[in-house]
Amino acid sequence: MLLKRIKCFFKKIKSAKISTKLTVIYAIMFSLGLLILNASILFGVKYYLYSQANKQIEDMQTIMSNKVTSRSNTIALTDKRLFSDVPSKENIFLKITDQNGKVLNLSPGFDYKIKQVHNKGSGIEKHIKDNERHYIYNNVSFKSYKNGTVYVQIVKDMHSEYLFMKVLFVVMAAADFIGIIISIILGYMVSKRMLKYIDYITNTAQNISANNLKERIYVKGPDDELKRLANTFNNMIDRLQGAFNRQSQFVSDASHELRTPIAIIQGYANLLNRWGKNDAEALEKSIYGIKVEADNMASLIEKLLFLAKGDSGIQLVEKNKFWLNELIDEVVKESKLIEKNRKISCTKNEAVEIMADYKMIKQMLRIFIDNSIKFTPVNGSIDVSLEVSLNTARITVSDNGIGIPKDEIENIFNRFYVVDKSRTKEVGGSGLGLSIAKWIAEVNKGNIDIKSEEGKWTKVMIILKLR
């Protein structure tokens, strides 16, 4: 039955609030501490009282030995004056018997029925409890000058000492009970006050949704675990809010970018429906326009899928060792074959082997070279170079094109962001290329730095770590 109650108690504690658990644990630990402390105090007091009592018996034994065995002692063993040195307030009583067990003398108030052991030498102090009476005694024998061998029984009544210990125990038990009650109340109040921020965090978390990411937790006080938890929670919400904002902007821009080619395709489809059956020129124009816009949509969707896979962490990255200088030679040759109206060169190409994704690095280089081609006038110059330092390889793509305004540079890696003066389908593109290039650089342990002067030149520096 008791075991079931204990199990039921622990089940309730497990399902209780943290404040209740802390209060119970604190109360149990405080109670155990008090129990150990009080037990130590009671044991120490008892040990001290018994030590003093034994010392008093030994002192009385010495006094009686001097009186009984001394030849100069004129007081008879039957004389009450023999106990004149017995302290009246120490509750010490004596009995003297002869060899035949005859009582020769008793100190006033001696009413103890303790067996007198007739043996030689001193006995051992013994503790007896009789009808709530506690006392210790000792049986000793002495060689009397006049009466021969006599036996002295020395008794120390411990009633006053035990009464003191009872009172002390009651006082300490009452103090413990009051202390435990106070500890439970204070423990609950303190734990409730300390954990109120957890309730605040819980309520704030419940109020947060995709449409409400403005809620934040403000915790005053020292920089403790709760405040760090609140700051961590706030940082998480900041990241979520940024992700939601980017997602919303991404969806909005993607819808905008897809709406235009779809509208154009619908326009050409209507043109075919009206005149394309009989008008060869309208038919050819419509087919060409639909093909171009379909290619644009396919390219846009491919870029969106690339970025989506990168964001979700499922984009396949195959890193292998290859010579970076050979890759740059290959990209430069291909670009020269495609583009005849710009001067594409490679002035410096130091040999270096790196560990990276070959296809992605090639795609990144093509993105930057294509951008330089788009924004560099006819007969302009584009240069690709590779320099190697101790731990890095720096690829530089520079051109003498129209440049980028200073206040636009920090935004050009944002998705769907296109510099205003070039926002046309034929020139500006969808604004996803640089976002893809940045992701490729980061996933291959690199970074990109762009410097430009509007109307004069642009320099893109791609820094890849070799180790």
Side-chain angles (χ1 to χ4, degrees):
M1 188 68 179
L2 180 61
L3 186 60
K4 288 183 178 180
R5 290 183 178 179
I6 293 175
K7 288 183 178 179
C8 182
F9 173 75
F10 279 108
K11 284 183 179 179
K12 290 182 178 179
I13 292 299
K14 285 183 179 180
S15 60
K17 295 181 178 180
I18 295 179
S19 58
T20 304
K21 291 179 182 178
L22 290 176
T23 303
V24 171
I25 294 172
Y26 176 73
I28 292 174
M29 294 179 64
F30 185 75
S31 302
L32 289 175
L34 284 178
L35 180 63
I36 295 172
L37 178 62
N38 293 342
S40 302
I41 293 174
L42 288 173
F43 179 80
V45 171
K46 183 179 180 181
Y47 178 81
Y48 173 78
L49 293 177
Y50 269 89
S51 298
Q52 291 297 107
N54 291 331
K55 186 175 183 302
Q56 290 174 358
I57 290 177
E58 291 174 0
D59 293 342
M60 187 53 58
Q61 179 180 329
T62 302
I63 293 172
M64 294 307 298
S65 175
N66 293 333
K67 287 187 176 183
V68 172
T69 60
S70 176
R71 294 185 178 183
S72 61
N73 184 27
T74 58
I75 302 175
L77 295 180
T78 57
D79 194 338
K80 296 294 183 182
R81 291 180 298 170
L82 187 66
F83 305 127
S84 60
D85 292 331
V86 178
S88 60
K89 296 182 179 180
E90 300 295 339
N91 294 326
I92 297 178
F93 305 93
L94 295 92
K95 180 175 73 172
I96 302 175
T97 59
D98 59 14
Q99 294 180 2
N100 298 322
K102 182 182 177 181
V103 178
L104 299 178
N105 205 345
L106 288 173
S107 64
F110 190 99
D111 60 347
Y112 303 96
K113 296 178 181 181
I114 305 173
K115 184 179 179 180
Q116 181 73 56
V117 181
H118 290 181
N119 56 5
K120 295 182 179 180
S122 299
I124 301 174
E125 291 84 357
K126 296 182 179 180
H127 171 223
I128 293 179
K129 178 182 179 183
D130 183 20
N131 294 327
E132 296 298 325
R133 295 179 67 186
H134 298 267
Y135 49 87
I136 58 176
Y137 71 93
N138 192 6
N139 292 319
V140 293
S141 62
F142 299 112
K143 187 85 173 173
S144 172
Y145 178 73
K146 295 181 179 180
N147 299 85
T149 301
V150 295
Y151 301 94
V152 179
Q153 192 174 73
I154 307 171
V155 180
K156 166 66 177 177
D157 195 315
M158 302 293 291
H159 174 72
S160 299
E161 286 78 359
Y162 265 85
L163 181 61
F164 171 75
M165 290 183 65
K166 283 184 178 181
V167 174
L168 179 62
F169 175 79
V170 172
V171 172
M172 294 178 71
D176 290 350
F177 179 76
I178 296 172
I180 291 172
I181 297 299
I182 294 175
S183 70
I184 291 174
I185 296 174
L186 290 178
Y188 183 78
M189 293 173 62
V190 171
S191 62
K192 197 74 174 176
R193 182 178 179 84
M194 291 177 62
L195 297 174
K196 69 177 183 179
Y197 293 114
I198 294 181
D199 293 332
Y200 179 43
I201 293 173
T202 303
N203 295 331
T204 304
Q206 290 175 347
N207 293 330
I208 291 175
S209 64
N211 297 322
N212 181 23
L213 291 173
K214 297 180 180 179
E215 294 287 340
R216 295 295 184 273
I217 299 172
Y218 300 99
V219 179
K220 298 180 179 179
D223 187 18
D224 55 9
E225 289 82 356
L226 289 176
K227 190 168 185 178
R228 289 197 292 272
L229 174 63
N231 292 334
T232 303
F233 184 83
N234 289 336
N235 292 334
M236 180 190 70
I237 299 303
D238 290 339
R239 292 193 297 272
L240 284 176
Q241 186 175 20
F244 275 115
N245 292 338
R246 287 192 299 272
Q247 183 185 33
S248 300
Q249 186 64 37
F250 185 81
V251 172
S252 175
D253 291 337
S255 301
H256 174 78
E257 294 294 332
L258 289 172
R259 187 182 296 114
T260 301
I262 290 174
I264 293 173
I265 290 174
Q266 287 177 340
Y268 281 122
N270 292 330
L271 181 63
L272 282 173
N273 186 44
R274 293 179 183 178
W275 298 291
K277 297 177 183 179
N278 301 318
D279 190 341
E281 184 179 353
L283 177 62
E284 184 179 354
K285 181 179 180 181
S286 299
I287 292 174
Y288 176 78
I290 291 173
K291 184 178 180 299
V292 170
E293 294 304 324
D295 290 340
N296 290 336
M297 288 180 62
S299 175
L300 177 61
I301 292 172
E302 184 179 351
K303 291 177 180 178
L304 290 174
L305 287 174
F306 185 96
L307 291 173
K309 287 181 179 180
D311 292 340
S312 61
I314 61 174
Q315 180 66 49
L316 183 62
V317 180
E318 297 179 348
K319 291 187 178 182
N320 297 294
K321 283 187 176 181
F322 63 91
W323 291 94
L324 183 58
N325 54 301
E326 293 180 358
L327 173 60
I328 291 176
D329 285 337
E330 180 183 343
V331 174
V332 170
K333 287 179 182 179
E334 291 175 354
S335 301
K336 287 180 178 180
L337 292 174
I338 297 171
E339 179 56 42
K340 301 293 186 179
N341 298 323
R342 277 86 175 172
K343 298 177 183 178
I344 302 175
S345 61
C346 181
T347 56
K348 191 173 186 180
N349 194 10
E350 298 180 359
V352 63
E353 190 177 29
I354 66 168
M355 174 69 76
D357 189 304
Y358 183 91
K359 293 181 180 179
M360 286 188 178
I361 298 297
K362 187 174 183 179
Q363 181 181 2
M364 178 180 64
L365 290 174
R366 281 178 172 172
I367 289 172
F368 287 119
I369 293 175
D370 287 345
N371 273 0
S372 294
I373 292 172
K374 288 178 184 179
F375 301 115
T376 301
V378 176
N379 297 324
S381 299
I382 300 170
D383 181 71
V384 183
S385 64
L386 171 62
E387 295 177 319
V388 181
S389 61
L390 184 61
N391 295 318
T392 60
R394 185 175 67 179
I395 305 171
T396 304
V397 180
S398 57
D399 62 61
N400 58 353
I402 62 175
I404 306 170
K406 288 185 178 180
D407 56 347
E408 302 281 356
I409 292 178
E410 61 181 10
N411 299 319
I412 60 175
F413 289 108
N414 296 339
R415 295 175 186 181
F416 295 107
Y417 186 86
V418 181
V419 179
D420 291 339
K421 65 170 59 180
S422 305
R423 196 174 181 86
T424 62
K425 281 292 176 182
E426 292 75 11
V427 180
S430 63
L432 292 176
L434 292 180
S435 299
I436 293 174
K438 182 181 179 183
W439 186 90
I440 292 174
E442 291 176 350
V443 81
N444 286 280
K445 306 301 180 184
N447 57 77
I448 300 172
D449 184 27
I450 295 182
K451 295 181 180 179
S452 180
E453 185 175 349
E454 188 175 5
K456 293 184 179 181
W457 55 268
T458 299
K459 183 182 290 186
V460 178
M461 288 166 286
I462 307 157
I463 301 173
L464 299 173
K465 293 182 180 179
L466 298 179
R467 294 182 182 177

